[in-house]
Amino acid sequence: MSAGTIAYGLYANPKSGNQGSIFTDGQISGWDLHPGGDPGEDATSDEVLLSYLYRSSPAAYACAYVGLRPPDARPVTGPSDTWVLLPERDYWHG
């Protein structure tokens, strides 16, 4: 899905908190991330800035990380337009 570009996957886990993954040009380039939280020790200056600007707002962090600029704040602040039920599948093991 990210061939020629970058994508940020966000999973809002109610038990362990938000988790993120970065895909660059079709390959995973970051995983087990905590979007909207403190930057990691090896974070770039851009990642530190995003962590400061979007603290406690993982959806806004993920959008900003990939340069996505929604026309308004509703995708981040709500309410949702649509809920989509995804089929169950083990995406990590085929």
Side-chain angles (χ1 to χ4, degrees), residues 6 12-13 24 27 36 42 50 59 65 71 75 80 85 88:
I6 187 169
N13 188 333
T24 305
Q27 302 294 318
D42 58 345
L50 290 177
Y65 191 94
S80 300
L85 182 60
E88 289 187 36

Side-chain angles (χ1 to χ4, degrees), residues 19-87:
Q19 299 169 2
S21 299
I22 302 168
F23 299 86
T24 305
D25 199 23
Q27 302 294 318
I28 191 161
S29 55
W31 60 280
D32 198 24
L33 306 172
H34 302 283
D38 292 331
E41 291 182 16
D42 58 345
T44 66
S45 58
D46 287 340
E47 291 168 337
V48 171
L49 177 60
L50 290 177
S51 294
Y52 173 76
L53 293 174
Y54 301 107
R55 177 163 308 283
S56 300
S57 186
Y61 179 95
C63 287
Y65 191 94
V66 298
L68 183 63
R69 297 178 186 265
D72 58 45
R74 190 168 173 205
V76 174
T77 61
S80 300
D81 297 4
T82 305
W83 286 92
V84 178
L85 182 60
L86 300 175

